[in-house]
Amino acid sequence: MITTIPQNSAFKWSYRLYVALFFFYLALPLATVCVFAFNDSVFPSLPWEGFTWAWFFGDQAPYIGVFHERPILRSVVTSGVVAFWVAALSVFVGTCNAFLFVRHDFRGKGFLYILMLLPLIIPGIILGISILVFTSNVANTLEDATGLWFDGLRPGIILVILGQFSFITTFATLVISARLQKFDPGLEEAALNLGATPWGAIRQITLPFLFPAMAAAAVVAVLMSFENFNTTLMLVGSDAPLTITMFDRLKLGSTPVLNAVSLLLIVGSAILGLASLLLQKK
Amino acid sequence: MKSDKSKLTFWLLLSPLILWLATLIILPHIGMFFVSLREKVGVREYETSFANYAVFFNEPLYWNTFARTAYMSIAATLLTLLIGFPIAYYIAKLTRGRTKTTLFLMCLIPFWVSELVRTFGWMILLRETGVISQVLQYAGLVNGPVEMLYNDAAIMTGLVYTSMLFMVVPLVTTLDSLDDSLIEAGYDLGGTSFSILREIVIPHAMPGIVSGCIVVFMLSLGNYLTPILLGGKDSLWFTGLIYSQFITRFNWELGSAFGFLLLGLSSLIVFLGLKLSGQSLSKTMAR
């Protein structure tokens, strides 16, 4: 079953047919979502009523397009803010972790490394509830003790950021560590010999070398943050990110506006995904 | 002086890690454990007991849902492996160069898209007024609309679709590292396609199979969107119970106990998978 071994053609063609069917199955739901974003009907279903841009640019009810739909636009902004902070925090902590695990040897390193990987095997919904329980207890204790309000520790945008950061950091650490391991420490020593300070050598030699990995980690973080649902669901307050807003809409009944948003999301995430691959290849 | 400085660097690098793990991972889980051991006996009065766990074992609905979630997840994992393995083999062994990159990317793209969008796609396809139902009616294969949503097959379709990538990617990586000459040698020594698959290809792909299965199982077990949207109100998925205890009924004690049971099951399966195949967590997860 490899290219150099001849196979009977019936087998070969049925294998190819299977692969083709598989890719059809992969593409089917996404293609359907995209096609119905252009259907001139208030339900995303057949029959096909003609082509329209109304679900993107329309401003007359019931044809309110994405770009005139305030709640959706607002949740996109919320998602953007969350994604920015998650990316910034997780790349920062991820870079520190990479230096720690690649450059330093210390007691308990193996144990800490396993702990660092744990967020990968904790289901997202449990990460969400555990953080919810913990921050509420802390907030209650603090409020009882001081008599002040601690709204930041109640469900809302700050908890959403912390919840997503708690597992995305692991991915950032893995991506950045992989690049730092390939770095030749000789380059840094050369800089030190030429009179650079230790911090200067890291800033001018090591960090530029790491930059593609840090950028890739940031892109991955933005992607994961935008599409995260489980953890966010448990921590969300009144200002919901995009996935939560879409979920609430979907439960009420869908209109092609959701298809239009989905189409934009598909295009956006494909571009970001390709960007992260290109950055990691560098 | 120098060692002082490197010690300082070490502590500065260590502190974000410790801060992150302690405040967002370790302490919350310990806290959740204590909450799950609390029994409400009056207004703001609690006693330590296993009452919440007892509720789980005494109420058939709860443990039936738990068992159902577990075996549906195992079924989804096996199905994903069966469907995904030939694809991974095709990409790794039967394609070269640009075709290979393209096929691999085509596998990756649906994974980058939000799970919500993928599930929405299946809803448009499968529901009573959906595309498949209408196409079948148009073709004259059925009279009247068919509802394909809100049943176990729909949940399975969604779960397999959502987790396919996590199976295909590790499989392609391990199969890629299998030297073609080993397969040729197998044929030269008179092996049949089946015996080569069993004795050369599958043993070599084992690390990929294990890590793929572990990830797919965990994702299915902890999935909320797919069972709720494709399975409807009666989907009976354990994460749905956790959500309703926390958000709808505000019974955090019972919800925490449920959370711990789910976490326990998922850790147990990961542990068993790693033990049975003799792999370590760091190797499996770092791929």
Side-chain angles (χ1 to χ4, degrees):
Chain A
M1 279 197 294
I2 50 175
T3 41
T4 49
I5 309 276
Q7 282 288 330
N8 74 49
S9 64
F11 177 80
K12 217 158 74 186
W13 282 105
S14 48
Y15 199 177
R16 280 187 191 158
L17 182 71
Y18 175 75
V19 174
L21 275 176
F22 175 80
F23 281 103
F24 179 68
Y25 162 78
L26 272 196
L28 188 62
L30 299 184
T32 316
V33 165
C34 293
V35 167
F36 284 104
F38 300 103
N39 190 11
D40 194 355
S41 149
V42 288
F43 299 109
S45 64
L46 289 170
W48 184 256
E49 305 273 8
F51 182 89
T52 176
W53 282 102
W55 296 113
F56 291 88
F57 304 107
D59 55 0
Q60 274 164 339
Y63 288 84
I64 307 268
V66 187
F67 296 108
H68 292 101
E69 174 88 52
R70 297 230 158 222
I72 287 183
L73 291 180
R74 206 173 315 135
S75 65
V76 171
V77 173
T78 309
S79 277
V81 172
V82 170
F84 170 79
W85 282 107
V86 168
L89 282 170
S90 58
V91 168
F92 171 73
V93 176
T95 311
C96 290
N97 290 349
F99 274 98
L100 183 72
F101 285 119
V102 176
R103 292 278 176 93
H104 291 267
D105 273 313
F106 52 94
R107 246 190 21 221
K109 179 174 169 179
F111 177 69
L112 271 185
Y113 192 75
I114 299 272
L115 274 185
M116 187 276 291
L117 290 174
L118 271 190
L120 293 183
I121 61 165
I122 302 174
I125 205 158
I126 293 179
L127 264 181
I129 57 174
S130 68
I131 292 173
L132 176 68
V133 168
F134 180 65
T135 50
S136 306
N137 279 336
V138 171
N140 288 342
T141 316
L142 287 177
E143 282 171 7
D144 285 349
T146 62
L148 300 169
W149 295 107
F150 289 87
D151 285 339
L153 294 173
R154 302 291 178 191
I157 195 165
I158 295 180
L159 283 199
V160 171
I161 292 172
L162 288 178
Q164 297 185 352
F165 159 76
S166 74
F167 71 95
I168 292 176
T169 306
T170 303
F171 291 92
T173 306
L174 291 176
V175 170
I176 299 171
S177 299
R179 175 99 180 158
L180 187 60
Q181 259 155 6
K182 287 188 214 145
F183 181 73
D184 176 10
L187 291 175
E188 218 173 83
E189 278 162 28
L192 290 175
N193 283 341
L194 292 171
T197 59
W199 169 238
I202 287 183
R203 207 170 40 121
Q204 296 201 322
I205 309 289
T206 321
L207 286 184
F209 174 83
L210 276 186
F211 181 74
M214 289 163 75
V219 171
V220 170
V222 167
L223 255 180
M224 295 183 84
S225 162
F226 242 87
E227 69 168 36
N228 180 265
F229 183 82
N230 286 353
T231 309
T232 311
L233 181 70
M234 308 308 293
L235 300 171
V236 75
S238 53
D239 38 5
L242 186 59
T243 42
I244 305 288
T245 309
M246 285 177 69
F247 178 69
D248 291 340
R249 285 288 184 92
L250 211 53
K251 280 194 297 193
L252 295 176
S254 48
T255 68
V257 173
L258 291 181
N259 293 65
V261 181
S262 303
L263 173 65
L264 297 175
L265 273 178
I266 291 173
V267 174
S269 39
I271 291 172
L272 282 180
L274 288 175
S276 86
L277 280 190
L278 288 179
L279 283 166
Q280 270 170 297
K281 231 175 222 171
K282 255 190 193 171
Chain B
M1 187 64 200
K2 188 169 184 294
S3 82
D4 272 3
K5 215 169 199 174
S6 82
K7 247 186 197 155
L8 180 70
T9 329
F10 172 71
W11 288 110
L12 279 180
L13 288 174
L14 190 66
S15 48
L17 177 78
I18 299 291
L19 208 61
W20 160 49
L21 289 175
T23 57
L24 292 175
I25 308 294
I26 300 168
L27 286 177
H29 281 89
I30 295 175
M32 191 170 82
F33 183 62
F34 280 114
V35 170
S36 79
L37 290 180
R38 253 177 10 186
E39 186 190 1
K40 198 167 190 171
V41 288
V43 181
R44 294 201 99 179
E45 271 180 72
Y46 298 98
E47 265 176 19
T48 304
S49 78
F50 284 98
N52 295 311
Y53 293 93
V55 168
F56 170 80
F57 287 106
N58 291 327
E59 172 64 59
L61 173 71
Y62 294 156
W63 52 259
N64 277 337
T65 307
F66 189 68
R68 180 183 135 87
T69 310
Y71 74 67
M72 290 272 286
S73 300
I74 293 175
T77 309
L78 294 179
L79 210 57
T80 314
L81 177 63
L82 281 180
I83 297 175
F85 193 85
I87 303 300
Y89 189 85
Y90 190 86
I91 294 177
K93 285 279 161 269
L94 298 176
T95 54
R96 295 271 177 276
R98 188 167 289 174
T99 326
K100 187 178 204 152
T101 322
T102 315
L103 287 184
F104 197 64
L105 274 182
M106 276 165 64
C107 279
L108 280 178
I109 288 175
F111 157 68
W112 290 329
V113 178
S114 166
E115 193 186 345
L116 193 76
V117 176
R118 291 176 252 163
T119 314
F120 180 42
W122 282 113
M123 287 174 78
I124 298 180
L125 284 167
L126 294 176
R127 66 181 161 203
E128 209 176 341
T129 54
V131 176
I132 295 181
S133 162
Q134 301 223 356
V135 167
L136 286 178
Q137 285 177 69
Y138 183 76
L141 291 171
V142 290
N143 320 308
V146 251
E147 177 68 277
M148 276 177 278
L149 211 55
Y150 312 128
N151 56 43
D152 288 357
I155 298 182
M156 217 36 116
T157 313
L159 285 180
V160 169
Y161 186 85
T162 297
S163 18
M164 186 53 75
L165 291 307
F166 298 93
M167 188 64 88
V168 171
V169 172
L171 282 179
V172 170
T173 318
T174 45
L175 286 174
D176 243 350
S177 67
L178 173 63
D179 196 337
D180 280 0
S181 59
L182 289 176
I183 299 176
E184 281 165 13
Y187 277 106
D188 290 345
L189 294 170
T192 61
S193 298
F194 179 71
S195 68
I196 287 170
L197 186 69
R198 211 189 49 188
E199 286 172 30
I200 299 176
V201 179
I202 291 183
H204 183 88
M206 216 47 194
I209 295 178
V210 170
S211 73
C213 284
I214 288 177
V215 174
V216 170
F217 180 78
M218 280 174 352
L219 287 176
S220 306
L221 203 64
N223 202 318
Y224 176 79
L225 258 181
T226 307
I228 298 297
L229 287 179
L230 299 181
K233 292 222 163 25
D234 305 321
S235 60
L236 294 177
W237 208 256
F238 204 62
T239 47
L241 283 188
I242 297 179
Y243 179 82
S244 63
Q245 290 302 335
F246 260 87
I247 308 293
T248 328
R249 306 216 183 147
F250 221 67
N251 188 348
W252 285 19
E253 289 76 26
L254 192 56
S256 299
F258 284 179
F260 247 88
L261 290 164
L262 189 70
L263 187 62
L265 177 63
S266 125
S267 322
L268 181 73
I269 299 279
V270 173
F271 179 77
L272 286 180
L274 292 175
K275 270 279 157 310
L276 285 177
S277 63
Q279 316 252 328
S280 76
L281 180 69
S282 19
K283 266 191 197 147
T284 308
M285 291 303 152
R287 279 211 277 269

